[in-house]
Amino acid sequence: MESVITSATSPFVTPLNDVADHRLHGAKAVRLASMLRLNFQVPAAVVITNDCFQAMLAENGLNEFIDTQRHGISADDPKSTARAAIEIQASFMNAEFPVRVREAIILATSPLLELGTVVVRSSACGEDSGTSAFAGQLDSILDVRTVEEMLDAVKRCWASYWSHRSLAYQLARNVNLEGMGVIVQRQVDARFAGVLFTQNLHLRRSGEMLVEYCQGMGDALVSGDVSPIRLSISKSGWRFDMAAMPEEPAATIDDAHIGQLAEVGRALEKHFQHPQDIEWVVDWDGKVHLVQSRPITTIEARPTTTVWSNANVNENFPAPITPLLYSIASTGYYHYFRNLGIAFGISMERIDFMEYPLRNIVGTHGGRLYYNLTNIHAVLRAAPCGEFLASAFNQFVGADATATDVTMPQWRSWRKGRVSEFFQMVRIVRCGWGRLRSMEKRIAVFEQTVDAFAADSHPDTFALRSWDELLGLWRRFMQIRCQWTDAAMADAASMISYGLSQRWFAGEFTDEVDQAVANRLLTGLCNIVSGLPTEHLWNLSRKIRQHDSLVQNLNVLPADEVWIQIETEERFQEVRSEIHDFLEQWGFRCSGELMLTTPSYQEQPALLLDLLRTYIRLEGESPQELLLRHQQVREQETERILQVLKSRRWKWYLPWPRKDFIAKRLIQWTQSSVACRERARLKQALLYSRIRRLALTVGQAFVNKGFLNRVDDIFFLTYEEIQSVLAGSYLLTQDLIHIAMLRRTSHEQLNDEDAPPGWIELEPGESWSCRGQQEYDVESAPGRLFRGTGVCGGSIVGKAVVLTDSSQFDQVTSGDILVTRQTDPGWGPILFLVRGLVMERGGMLSHGAILAREYGIPSVVDVANATRLVVTGNRIRVDGDRGIVEILDE
């Protein structure tokens, strides 16, 4: 951030850092000031206010003359518009500065002129809105060096308020300017200048940004005197548009500048909540300066566009899913959201109105499961505090905001009468509070329900099951999956409590160190069940270390051979017993545990030995000791935070409650909610492991009857088709072989294709397909900075290890920084081995984030294409407080 001109604010001139009022300073100046306060590099400036402009008009008696000239002109008569513009501008340029206006301007701009050349730029009140940008309609004057030149430039900016092009634009768009500010700003000696569009206007759904620039000042680009150099920036890299390259090769901006522009674009689009058109300059020292940001007015929020996101859901389903899994997931998600609304007491009238989006909460693209984010947000916005819930959901899963769909009901726009709304709100608060207060008891009931099903559907009993008993278990599973409300309440409680905590602490602690305080207060929670398998693995590895021969065999023999030895040799009976206990209690927890097609450790126990081999080599703290150490740090941090808040009142006029009381309750609620959510997820993994084994048993029965060729063809039938066959009501069982074969072939093709992007924008009914656009990877380079979301604080430097699958854990050594696409609870044992975490996807409450906080691992998620930007062996820095990943060397 450049040094700020600190002259005192007056009615006529304001330092840029103090600018905040669109009506006084104009939209352009307000946006520049906002960027300055966000610590972007913005050249020093002052803003001449609209009050100054109005004083100029009033004291020269110009208002009446201007009104007369503008009377009767229209967009259909360009000649009359041109005549009016010439008359008004000439009259204005002949007017004299009032003495007090002139003195105020000279006094405020002199420090800038002493620094060197300035640029004088218009900042009209009413430009750069979401519907009208006035880009190029108002004047900017470059290369101003003296006071007299500056005063003349200010007057020319003011006069452009009534230029022919400005008047024609206003008439054509049926919009009016409401005043004029003028920015007097230090002019950057530009090596390059250009514009960044945060959304490619030609490929709107591609997720690309577009950059156009030239050498020297950007006025040549605006005037059309030179052809721009053009490049596209995607999440996985960037590429030049070779058709737009100049015939004679010229110097171009480098990788670091492109990366910086991409970060700036994402940050400003998020801050201004609209795609941006950003003007920038690179000086001869290599610094990137921002000189303007305006909304792209050709991009409008279109409620007919559907936004799809795989944020968080790809953690559970990282690969193309089968028809069986999709039929279960689509039905399950419908009942999940619908029953959650009912549990919170939302009226059935509202819920029935949301039937369409509820029925279409998820879909597939490239065979992978995606949230229909447009529909999810529509459902959430139909509840009280809908925008907060939508924002909390985005933070919860790591998704982005969507435009409000005006065709869907909003809570405030649901006109049923204020009395009716009041009683609905009372009911929702009462029902919600009752559900949340009894959350732990309800989770216990849910656990009992799943445990009972797991006991009745143990794989050891399948051989004795009749056809009707298999049908009963099949139906019982789906009944549990559709009655997910108690588990869903834990999700909702985690989402709401974490969102409230983030807002609360962000408002109370504004310094950079304490911005991540809500994350630090979730570290070292020893009651998180996701960490228990890691603790048991550690204990099991210590037991194996007591057998030197077994350790030696693990180091030299394949895991399958060692497993046979453990199973058959009497000397390993104690180890065998403990491994069997681990497999029975935790063996269903593995990466891809909800995919149905992924075998667990219970089915392939030799895989567990590969993981144990790594643990056996570890020295130092056990997982439990590490957790206890982080628990002590968290408790000390909690005490510090509560002590700071103890002296602060919630409301200045109320003696109680103090803010420490509120913070303590928020902390307890968030910690309890996260723990309950992980308990529910554990039972979900158990439930899905049972339905996988049940499906394989049914598949074998279908093979025996000639319905299928292969046992695992069962995964290519839907839940409803399988149930109909079991019930004897399926129409054409002879077609099942061909249906499964066709679907398997399509599924295998999807596995060979690149995954779609994480964020997709499509027309209703349209599915994603590769459009043949080649993506160019950005090679890792020292000094590259990448931004994401910090989910666990702290900073660490170390060697990166890039993994795309949990089966690659043998590449991890203690102290590495793990870089991966996403994690699920099956990665828990690996996270204990590393000391830093970077993920391409995920949110604050994704499972990777929760486990990272358990072990106090500095972590950053939502780093686009991290597995391509970083390569194994890179020395990188992970800053979990600021959400930054930096490559330090190659």
Side-chain angles (χ1 to χ4, degrees):
M1 183 177 68
E2 191 166 293
S3 59
V4 178
I5 299 299
T6 57
S7 59
T9 300
S10 77
F12 293 146
V13 187
T14 307
L16 183 59
N17 198 51
D18 296 333
V19 166
D21 190 341
H22 289 75
R23 295 167 299 178
L24 186 62
H25 305 107
K28 188 181 299 180
V30 170
R31 285 173 173 269
L32 273 177
S34 180
M35 290 189 284
L36 183 65
R37 287 190 286 269
L38 288 170
N39 292 326
F40 287 108
Q41 191 79 20
V42 177
V46 296
V47 180
I48 301 170
T49 68
N50 184 47
D51 287 348
C52 193
F53 177 57
Q54 299 302 331
M56 181 76 172
L57 290 170
E59 297 193 26
N60 283 279
L62 293 173
N63 286 314
E64 186 176 342
F65 172 78
I66 292 169
D67 289 342
T68 301
Q69 293 296 320
R70 293 190 62 177
H71 181 71
I73 64 174
S74 69
D76 299 328
D77 187 0
K79 289 185 178 180
S80 64
T81 303
R83 283 195 300 269
I86 291 171
E87 292 294 331
I88 295 171
Q89 287 187 285
S91 177
F92 191 93
M93 291 302 295
N94 290 329
E96 296 292 333
F97 279 103
V99 174
R100 60 196 179 103
V101 169
R102 180 186 177 94
E103 290 178 351
I105 293 175
I106 293 174
L107 177 65
T109 58
S110 292
L112 281 170
L113 287 168
E114 290 173 3
L115 291 175
T117 307
V118 300
V119 57
V120 180
R121 310 170 65 209
S122 60
S123 177
C125 307
E127 69 170 331
D128 289 358
S129 68
T131 57
S132 54
F134 282 84
Q137 309 304 317
L138 304 169
D139 284 350
S140 294
I141 295 91
L142 301 172
D143 301 321
V144 176
R145 295 180 174 83
T146 67
V147 170
E148 290 306 319
E149 286 179 357
M150 186 270 302
L151 290 171
D152 181 69
V154 170
K155 193 182 286 189
R156 286 165 59 189
C157 278
W158 280 339
S160 69
Y161 190 86
W162 301 282
S163 68
H164 183 199
R165 60 184 183 274
S166 175
L167 289 178
Y169 186 88
Q170 295 178 63
L171 291 168
R173 288 254 183 165
N174 194 28
V175 295
N176 291 302
L177 294 175
E178 300 164 356
M180 174 74 92
V182 173
I183 304 164
V184 181
Q185 189 169 39
R186 185 181 71 80
Q187 182 172 307
V188 178
D189 186 10
R191 185 182 182 193
F192 302 106
V195 61
L196 165 68
F197 297 95
T198 63
Q199 215 175 88
N200 190 327
L201 303 182
H202 307 294
L203 298 169
R204 187 155 94 76
R205 300 191 202 109
S206 67
E208 289 184 338
M209 299 182 188
L210 181 66
V211 176
E212 291 185 348
Y213 71 97
C214 65
Q215 289 184 294
M217 296 298 293
D219 57 326
L221 198 63
V222 174
S223 65
D225 291 340
V226 299
S227 297
I229 301 171
R230 184 180 296 119
L231 61 90
S232 300
I233 305 174
S234 70
K235 289 187 176 180
S236 61
W238 61 271
R239 63 179 183 270
F240 281 108
D241 181 352
M242 301 309 296
M245 290 293 285
E247 293 183 5
E248 296 184 6
T252 57
I253 56 177
D254 59 27
D255 288 357
H257 292 135
I258 295 172
Q260 191 173 349
L261 287 173
E263 290 180 30
V264 166
R266 284 189 287 268
L268 291 183
E269 183 174 275
K270 182 177 181 180
H271 176 72
F272 292 123
Q273 298 183 351
H274 195 92
Q276 295 293 296
D277 165 357
I278 303 164
E279 292 183 18
W280 51 270
V281 176
V282 176
D283 65 20
W284 288 90
D285 292 328
K287 290 184 180 179
V288 177
H289 304 261
L290 305 184
V291 295
Q292 184 166 305
S293 184
R294 64 167 71 92
I296 303 176
T297 57
T298 56
I299 294 178
E300 300 173 355
R302 299 190 304 166
T304 56
T305 300
T306 302
V307 175
W308 300 88
S309 173
N310 69 356
N312 189 63
V313 74
N314 70 326
E315 178 182 276
N316 298 330
F317 310 106
I321 63 174
T322 60
L324 174 57
L325 179 55
Y326 181 69
S327 64
I328 293 171
S330 58
T331 303
Y333 275 112
Y334 163 75
H335 288 285
Y336 175 102
F337 280 95
R338 189 176 190 276
N339 291 341
L340 197 58
I342 295 172
F344 269 103
I346 295 176
S347 69
M348 290 305 302
E349 185 179 4
R350 283 180 188 272
I351 290 174
D352 290 342
F353 194 92
M354 303 308 296
E355 183 68 11
Y356 173 77
L358 284 168
R359 285 287 183 186
N360 296 276
I361 286 290
V362 296
T364 59
H365 296 284
R368 290 161 172 84
L369 197 66
Y370 277 74
Y371 284 133
N372 186 324
L373 208 56
T374 299
N375 283 350
I376 290 177
H377 285 172
V379 170
L380 294 174
R381 284 166 175 151
C385 307
E387 285 301 331
F388 166 76
L389 292 176
S391 174
F393 177 84
N394 294 340
Q395 188 179 56
F396 181 60
V397 302
D400 296 319
T402 61
T404 301
D405 187 340
V406 296
T407 67
M408 293 297 176
Q410 313 297 303
W411 179 261
R412 292 181 179 176
S413 64
W414 189 277
R415 302 298 183 185
K416 293 286 290 181
R418 294 184 177 228
V419 174
S420 174
E421 291 290 284
F422 172 77
F423 282 112
Q424 281 195 51
M425 180 68 80
V426 170
R427 181 186 177 198
I428 288 168
V429 171
R430 180 174 57 82
C431 291
W433 173 246
R435 285 274 185 172
L436 293 174
R437 187 175 57 180
S438 60
M439 180 177 58
E440 293 200 32
K441 292 181 180 179
R442 291 178 179 276
I443 286 295
V445 172
F446 173 76
E447 290 173 321
Q448 292 169 7
T449 301
V450 175
D451 285 342
F453 176 82
D456 293 341
S457 60
H458 197 284
D460 291 347
T461 68
F462 286 156
L464 305 175
R465 297 288 187 177
S466 68
W467 194 268
D468 285 341
E469 287 175 322
L470 293 177
L471 174 61
L473 289 173
W474 195 256
R475 288 173 170 168
R476 188 173 160 192
F477 161 78
M478 205 61 189
Q479 183 179 21
I480 295 173
R481 188 62 190 88
C482 292
Q483 298 298 322
W484 209 256
T485 309
D486 291 334
M489 289 302 297
D491 284 340
S494 299
M495 180 182 81
I496 295 170
S497 62
Y498 189 83
L500 289 173
S501 296
Q502 284 283 72
R503 290 195 178 192
W504 175 267
F505 289 115
E508 295 298 321
F509 299 94
T510 56
D511 60 284
E512 188 174 356
V513 175
D514 279 337
Q515 280 294 295
V517 66
N519 289 335
R520 294 203 299 273
L521 297 181
L522 289 176
T523 58
L525 300 179
C526 295
N527 60 340
I528 300 294
V529 295
S530 300
L532 292 180
T534 303
E535 181 182 336
H536 284 272
L537 274 175
W538 175 270
N539 294 337
L540 190 53
S541 71
R542 301 304 98 174
K543 179 70 68 175
I544 293 175
R545 285 176 63 161
Q546 297 174 13
H547 298 264
D548 292 339
S549 60
L550 184 54
V551 171
Q552 184 177 358
N553 289 343
L554 279 170
N555 286 330
V556 297
L557 296 177
D560 289 339
E561 293 185 23
V562 178
W563 177 251
I564 293 173
Q565 291 180 351
I566 293 174
E567 283 286 85
T568 58
E569 296 184 20
E570 185 61 30
R571 57 183 173 146
F572 299 136
Q573 190 277 332
E574 184 181 1
V575 171
R576 177 168 64 247
S577 176
E578 295 209 14
I579 291 178
H580 283 179
D581 288 344
F582 177 88
L583 290 172
E584 181 64 28
Q585 187 175 5
W586 305 106
F588 55 86
R589 299 236 78 174
C590 62
S591 181
E593 62 192 14
L594 303 185
M595 287 293 293
L596 296 187
T597 51
T598 303
S600 67
Y601 293 127
Q602 290 176 339
E603 298 170 76
Q604 297 183 355
L607 294 176
L608 184 65
L609 297 183
D610 286 327
L611 187 56
L612 281 169
R613 183 188 290 123
T614 304
Y615 268 63
I616 288 168
R617 297 168 184 161
L618 286 179
E619 302 292 346
E621 288 181 307
S622 70
Q624 187 63 22
E625 290 169 337
L626 183 61
L627 283 176
L628 289 173
R629 179 161 61 83
H630 286 295
Q631 179 184 15
Q632 292 173 355
V633 173
R634 170 178 54 81
E635 289 172 349
Q636 293 171 0
E637 178 72 353
T638 303
E639 186 60 34
R640 181 184 72 85
I641 293 299
L642 295 179
Q643 196 63 36
V644 170
L645 295 175
K646 192 172 185 179
S647 59
R648 301 181 187 177
R649 295 185 179 187
W650 177 46
K651 299 291 185 182
W652 66 269
Y653 50 82
L654 294 177
W656 190 88
R658 300 278 180 174
K659 288 187 176 180
D660 64 315
F661 177 85
I662 299 172
K664 186 174 183 179
R665 297 304 181 276
L666 269 177
I667 293 168
Q668 291 173 344
W669 182 28
T670 305
Q671 292 174 349
S672 174
S673 299
V674 170
C676 285
R677 178 173 178 260
E678 290 303 295
R679 287 167 57 187
R681 175 60 196 267
L682 174 69
K683 295 306 177 183
Q684 182 183 17
L686 174 59
L687 187 67
Y688 272 64
S689 72
R690 288 293 195 261
I691 199 62
R692 166 182 159 79
R693 303 290 287 277
L694 178 60
L696 290 172
T697 300
V698 173
Q700 183 62 61
F702 284 11
V703 169
N704 295 341
K705 287 183 174 290
F707 297 160
L708 296 175
N709 280 331
R710 296 169 49 173
V711 172
D712 60 353
D713 278 348
I714 193 70
F715 297 120
F716 298 96
L717 304 180
T718 68
Y719 169 84
E720 294 83 2
E721 288 170 338
I722 296 169
Q723 181 170 277
S724 294
V725 175
L726 287 172
S729 59
Y730 192 76
L731 180 60
L732 298 170
T733 53
Q734 65 270 25
D735 290 344
L736 290 175
I737 287 180
H738 307 294
I739 291 171
M741 186 183 304
L742 178 64
R743 292 174 180 172
R744 177 188 284 276
T745 300
S746 298
H747 185 266
E748 289 172 350
Q749 291 173 350
L750 291 172
N751 273 313
D752 293 334
E753 294 178 2
D754 290 336
W759 173 278
I760 306 174
E761 220 176 320
L762 300 170
E763 300 297 330
E766 185 180 5
S767 293
W768 180 88
S769 62
C770 180
R771 293 175 174 79
Q773 298 174 29
Q774 183 180 1
E775 297 286 354
Y776 294 80
D777 293 346
V778 177
E779 295 182 357
S780 62
R784 291 298 307 275
L785 281 175
F786 309 104
R787 292 189 181 274
T789 301
V791 296
C792 185
S795 179
I796 189 169
V797 174
K799 177 177 72 72
V801 56
V802 181
L803 304 185
T804 56
D805 188 275
S806 65
S807 64
Q808 301 168 317
F809 60 82
D810 57 334
Q811 300 177 23
V812 177
T813 57
S814 182
D816 284 347
I817 296 176
L818 173 63
V819 181
T820 186
R821 294 189 183 117
Q822 70 272 320
T823 62
D824 57 33
W827 288 68
I830 300 173
L831 293 181
F832 173 65
L833 303 175
V834 300
R835 291 298 173 261
L837 174 65
V838 178
M839 293 195 297
E840 292 182 348
R841 305 296 292 167
M844 291 290 190
L845 292 176
S846 60
H847 296 284
I850 290 171
L851 289 172
R853 285 193 291 267
E854 281 297 281
Y855 299 126
I857 302 170
S859 304
V860 180
V861 304
D862 199 23
V863 181
N865 286 286
T867 56
R868 297 184 182 183
L869 299 170
V870 181
V871 297
T872 296
N874 275 150
R875 186 166 168 267
I876 66 174
R877 174 183 290 113
V878 177
D879 189 330
D881 291 314
R882 297 189 296 160
I884 291 175
V885 179
E886 180 179 10
I887 298 176
L888 300 177
D889 59 18
E890 296 183 356

